[in-house]
Amino acid sequence: MEAKWLSVQSFFRNQSLISAINALCIHWKLQMEGIEDEEDEEDVKEARILIRDFLVEFDRQVANYERSMFQILPGVDPRQFALVKRFVSAKRRKDFSSVTFKDKPGKVIELLDNENPNNLEPLVSALTELRILLEEHNQADVQNLVPEI
């Protein structure tokens, strides 16, 4: 039962991150095209904070995992640990091309914190690839919850 509960928590956490990524990417794409975004500025700010907070912790976890020579991370729930492993594996295989996977999640934090319009395209690219990773991870969560699907 605990594994299913962790999958439920992981699924909902990742869904909120995916929603925040979608909101920011749409906001920035409209901004790049010079189109006024009707999204509430407070919602955009909350999405940015949610993603930033996730990336700060995720960056720390990835660094610890790589530093520990790919050993288990104490204090990290198994589903989050699986996401860290999935990220590091994709990074090592060079499956993605954005700054997120070429270097580390902390690079995206630097772009998020720098209010430079030149950063919008790399941010959209990085967050799009992060969304793909989260969606793949959610598929594993759903499979864990409902194996027949």
Side-chain angles (χ1 to χ4, degrees):
M1 184 62 169
E2 184 175 318
K4 289 191 186 270
W5 180 243
L6 290 173
S7 291
V8 168
Q9 289 176 319
S10 172
F11 179 83
F12 281 113
R13 178 181 56 239
N14 292 338
Q15 278 303 114
S16 66
L17 287 166
I18 290 167
S19 294
I21 289 169
N22 288 339
L24 282 181
C25 286
I26 290 168
H27 175 75
W28 289 329
K29 285 181 179 182
L30 289 172
Q31 195 174 350
M32 287 188 290
E33 294 296 320
I35 300 171
E36 184 68 32
D37 185 8
E38 296 180 13
E39 185 73 35
D40 182 14
E41 198 58 41
E42 190 61 33
D43 291 341
V44 171
K45 183 180 176 184
E46 287 176 20
R48 179 183 235 135
I49 290 169
L50 178 68
I51 291 168
R52 187 185 190 291
D53 289 348
F54 167 77
L55 286 171
V56 166
E57 184 65 19
F58 191 63
D59 185 55
R60 186 184 63 74
Q61 292 168 345
V62 167
N64 287 343
Y65 180 61
E66 290 175 329
R67 211 175 8 258
S68 74
M69 303 297 283
F70 311 110
Q71 299 299 312
I72 195 157
L73 295 174
V76 176
D77 79 61
R79 292 305 303 144
Q80 182 65 19
F81 180 64
L83 181 62
V84 169
K85 287 180 12 181
R86 186 181 298 262
F87 172 85
V88 171
S89 177
K91 179 179 151 183
R92 293 174 80 200
R93 286 190 318 265
K94 298 180 179 162
D95 288 348
F96 299 101
S97 60
S98 74
V99 68
T100 312
F101 291 88
K102 282 184 178 177
D103 196 8
K104 60 181 185 166
K107 285 288 192 186
V108 180
I109 297 166
E110 293 171 18
L111 293 175
L112 270 172
D113 289 347
N114 185 353
E115 296 282 333
N116 186 340
N118 295 330
N119 291 342
L120 296 183
E121 200 168 316
L123 270 169
V124 168
S125 175
L127 291 181
T128 298
E129 290 184 348
L130 180 60
R131 181 182 59 225
I132 291 167
L133 185 77
L134 291 168
E135 288 170 344
E136 290 171 354
H137 193 65
N138 267 2
Q139 288 175 346
D141 287 331
V142 169
Q143 189 67 35
N144 189 22
L145 292 169
V146 189
E148 302 84 42
I149 292 182

